[in-house]
Amino acid sequence: MSRKYDHRISSHTAVLVMVLLAKCAVTETYAATHTVEALVNSKCAYCHAAQGDGKWDRISESRRTPEGWDMTVARMSFAHGVKLSHDERGAIVKYLSDAYGLSPDESAAHRYIVDRTPSVVEHPENKLIGDTCARCHSYGRIAVQRRTEADWRKLVHFHVGQFPAIEIQAGGRDRNWFDIATGEASVELGKQYGFDSASWSKWKAQKPADASGSWRLVGHQPGTGAYEGTATVQRTGNDAYSISMTMRYENGASEQLAGSAIVYTGHEWRATLKSVDREINQVMTLADGGRALSGRWFESGYDAIGGTLHAVRADGAKPTVLSVQPAALKAGTRGLVVINGVSLDGDVSLGNGVKVLSVAERSADRVVVEVESAKDAVSGPREVKVGNARSGEALKVYQRIDYVKITPDHPMARVGGNGGSMNKVPAQLEALAY
């Protein structure tokens, strides 16, 4: 059974995520002058008994994303009266995310819940967990946590105490929900999303990557189209960076942005950047030993409005084709094709039925060629090559447009109201030709 979900759980949750993403350098300032472990002892150990070796009751029995830890720390404040300054909260979230986070492998299948991809249709990989838990919130929220079986069971008890009507709501009153949740469902959660994993042990043993340097980036924003650009990342402290970024869109528009970023758990990149017209948040993951960065960005306050981004280091990178603009070429036509990448050098090939007539522009990160596609060119993908750099199926050749589809199929939005308790939530639609 597939489930549709709205990841905007509440306006309060959205605020928590924005607090985490914004003003990244504050955490760095605090950590430079304080021992964060001592801070956790002073603020958390009153309720979470210290177990020695830097571990605490409940805290050291679960792992989650930076957003997950920020929600937990915030709940300690508004539900239990823990007094934290902005700097203290940021420092604790950073410490817990680094000590009890998720490896890239563990979060890969459910990045949509982390980067706030709108209008996702979920397909829970475990029916029992989906039926027991995802009837109230997204399955992805469960799947980006890791807990011991005992801690999953304690979480069930917390839900009943916090939400007393949970057993009489739909999906609960037609079964012995509490016994299922504390019994076989908790056992299954402990197996599928248990605290210990080989992936996490291997990831913790790695040395954190340094993201500073020059980057080449490409991406796509629904409604606007493809873009390419560059970024300069400078280290400002331990896991903290300043960013200067240029985005050049296929429609001729360009944008200059600048801001700051912080990396949690060695790979969870969170950044806030501003241009003249807007502020955006980046939720991405640092991969390939710090040589690649990919994920999603969205406008502050409007997470449905955003795009995807993929970047690789420009300095000393192996020859790579990142994108082709336009990505589709009609058979029997002539035009310019832009190939974006890094360390591009050598002859250009666009596959069968597409002839390169001339090279109009050439650099290490951009090659512009005039091409002609044959009238009888077979419809389908083509591999783009520039010397030793290969793109995979980056260019499509087509004889005709067969149909146009609007995506997403079932967008989710919220009308809201000015001055009301629920803000308006937009939906981004895009028409795609096939």
Side-chain angles (χ1 to χ4, degrees), residues 1-9 107 109-114 116-127 129-131 133-144 193 410 412:
M1 176 182 180
S2 64
R3 294 184 190 274
K4 188 101 174 166
Y5 83 95
D6 186 349
H7 64 263
R8 301 172 191 88
I9 299 165
S107 64
H110 301 90
R111 293 302 298 182
Y112 61 87
I113 194 69
V114 182
R116 305 176 72 79
T117 301
S119 302
V120 172
V121 176
E122 291 190 313
H123 300 279
E125 51 259 40
N126 187 295
K127 187 177 186 304
I129 296 173
D131 290 346
C133 308
R135 64 190 182 89
C136 292
H137 53 67
S138 69
Y139 189 92
R141 185 169 177 179
I142 302 162
V144 291
Y193 305 115
H410 304 285
M412 300 185 71

Side-chain angles (χ1 to χ4, degrees), residues 21-324:
L21 293 172
K23 303 186 185 302
C24 301
V26 173
T27 298
E28 199 60 37
T29 302
Y30 186 94
T33 56
H34 296 72
T35 301
V36 183
E37 187 173 328
L39 176 64
V40 175
N41 274 321
S42 66
K43 297 292 184 177
C44 309
Y46 184 82
C47 295
H48 299 273
Q51 299 174 342
D53 299 325
K55 295 183 178 181
W56 300 269
D57 180 49
R58 292 299 304 277
I59 294 174
S60 303
E61 298 171 49
S62 63
R63 298 187 282 113
R64 61 200 78 173
T65 64
E67 286 78 7
W69 278 119
D70 190 57
M71 291 170 67
T72 297
V73 173
R75 189 175 70 250
M76 297 303 107
S77 293
F78 69 75
H80 301 291
V82 178
K83 303 298 183 184
L84 293 171
S85 68
H86 182 274
D87 287 7
E88 289 173 335
R89 174 172 165 179
I92 289 175
V93 170
K94 178 70 169 74
Y95 176 83
L96 294 175
S97 299
D98 290 347
Y100 304 107
L102 300 181
S103 71
D105 292 342
E106 290 176 313
S107 64
H110 301 90
R111 293 302 298 182
Y112 61 87
I113 194 69
V114 182
D115 63 24
R116 305 176 72 79
T117 301
S119 302
V120 172
V121 176
E122 291 190 313
H123 300 279
E125 51 259 40
N126 187 295
K127 187 177 186 304
L128 174 62
I129 296 173
D131 290 346
T132 307
C133 308
R135 64 190 182 89
C136 292
H137 53 67
S138 69
Y139 189 92
R141 185 169 177 179
I142 302 162
V144 291
Q145 298 183 56
R146 297 295 183 271
R147 298 172 182 264
T148 63
E149 180 186 321
D151 203 59
W152 279 117
R153 190 168 287 108
K154 290 176 182 177
L155 186 64
V156 175
H157 285 268
F158 164 80
H159 275 64
V160 175
Q162 190 76 15
F163 312 106
I166 192 170
E167 293 186 86
I168 59 173
Q169 293 171 336
R173 60 177 176 265
D174 61 339
R175 68 200 72 186
N176 194 348
W177 183 87
F178 183 75
D179 284 354
I180 295 171
T182 55
E184 55 186 314
S186 291
V187 172
E188 198 66 22
L189 284 163
K191 291 178 180 178
Q192 183 123 10
Y193 305 115
F195 180 82
D196 295 314
S197 78
S199 176
W200 175 243
S201 297
K202 182 179 178 181
W203 178 253
K204 283 198 303 180
Q206 296 183 2
K207 182 181 178 180
D210 183 356
S212 59
S214 299
W215 292 78
R216 182 77 167 106
L217 58 93
V218 298
H220 178 84
Q221 180 179 2
T224 304
Y227 66 87
E228 52 83 22
T230 57
T232 300
V233 178
Q234 295 182 319
R235 195 181 187 103
T236 58
N238 183 28
D239 293 334
Y241 302 90
S242 65
I243 315 161
S244 176
M245 189 171 76
T246 301
M247 299 165 69
R248 295 178 288 266
Y249 286 87
E250 194 172 16
N251 63 7
S254 64
E255 189 174 17
Q256 302 281 340
L257 302 106
S260 59
I262 188 168
V263 177
Y264 299 87
T265 330
H267 72 99
E268 292 285 8
W269 172 279
R270 303 293 185 270
T272 300
L273 296 91
K274 293 182 179 180
S275 68
V276 174
D277 300 320
R278 62 178 177 174
E279 178 180 274
I280 67 170
N281 301 124
Q282 293 177 339
V283 180
M284 301 191 289
T285 185
L286 194 63
D288 193 20
R291 291 184 291 272
L293 188 63
S294 61
R296 187 171 178 269
W297 58 268
F298 50 84
E299 294 186 3
S300 297
Y302 298 99
D303 52 26
I305 308 300
T308 58
L309 185 147
H310 175 66
V312 298
R313 285 187 178 276
D315 36 6
K318 65 179 181 180
T320 305
V321 173
L322 293 173
S323 71
V324 176

